[in-house]
Amino acid sequence: LPGLAGVLRVGGAGGGAAAGQGQGFFLARFVRQDGAAKGAFDAGQGGADIAGRTLLARDIASAGPLTAGNLPPGEVRDFGGKVYFLHQEALGLLGRSPGLRWQGLPLGTMSGGRFRPDPRARVLLPRPEELPASQRLDVDEPRPILDLLAGRSLELPGEGGLAGLYFRGLPLGLVTRKGRRLVWSNR
């Protein structure tokens, strides 16, 4: 088609409006004209020069029923109150590509020196059988999940500020305990 030189076409040959059409993808890398890049890696230093403070597994575990050991090799870093996981491969790319910036997978925030996990940080949840019943909600039907997403609360006696939410053993995220009730908080 005219004007689509260099565009990777992805689409079906089937009928309908999408027949014969595709989606365009591109990748661009920007280089500063002066050749220098803020935070550029110096291969002689042995690591990427990136901002932020590295968090330890105990910083994450102190927030509740979380397992930092679920994360693949890499680093958890606090960037001005926002906590991200940076995979080891991404850190290696930062070292080989001066000026490349990568933010990572958001895990939560730091506030008052405490880690507060994002409710969607399910990668930090242990297997449900590793948690006491008071710290997990493992449901077999979608109705309780839909209730939480609609803003309704569910009852789960116990203590602590967070509980793991699971669907048939699959980790979905973290819910906040308010008394005997659990709520989904996306804040």
Side-chain angles (χ1 to χ4, degrees):
L1 297 174
L4 292 180
V7 173
L8 171 65
R9 295 190 61 216
V10 179
Q21 296 179 4
Q23 297 175 341
F25 297 88
F26 71 93
L27 176 66
R29 179 174 181 214
F30 296 94
V31 178
R32 288 176 41 169
Q33 288 185 352
D34 63 7
K38 185 177 180 181
F41 172 72
D42 177 358
Q45 294 177 353
D49 179 18
I50 56 176
R53 178 177 70 88
T54 302
L55 296 180
L56 303 174
R58 70 172 182 254
D59 297 323
I60 293 170
S62 68
L66 307 174
T67 305
N70 289 352
L71 295 168
E75 293 181 13
V76 175
R77 296 180 76 85
D78 172 10
F79 295 97
K82 295 180 180 179
V83 177
Y84 292 90
F85 170 72
L86 297 136
H87 193 280
Q88 191 64 45
E89 290 295 320
L91 291 169
L93 289 173
L94 291 172
R96 292 190 301 271
S97 302
L100 179 66
R101 306 292 289 175
W102 189 70
Q103 196 155 22
L105 173 71
L107 294 179
T109 60
M110 287 296 287
S111 178
R114 283 194 56 181
F115 173 67
R116 298 184 191 281
D118 185 288
R120 296 165 292 188
R122 65 183 171 267
V123 68
L124 296 175
L125 283 172
R127 293 190 315 259
E129 61 272 10
E130 294 176 5
L131 291 176
S134 64
Q135 289 187 331
R136 73 174 186 273
L137 178 61
D138 194 356
V139 298
D140 291 325
E141 299 297 323
R143 174 54 45 204
I145 297 166
L146 294 171
D147 287 344
L148 285 169
L149 294 175
R152 293 183 282 277
S153 64
L154 300 175
E155 187 169 337
L156 182 69
E159 297 179 5
L162 296 174
L165 175 63
Y166 299 84
F167 179 71
R168 298 180 184 171
L170 178 70
L172 297 180
L174 294 152
V175 288
T176 303
R177 183 185 312 278
K178 296 196 178 199
R180 296 175 56 93
R181 310 294 291 174
L182 297 178
V183 294
W184 175 264
S185 175
N186 219 9
R187 290 186 241 152

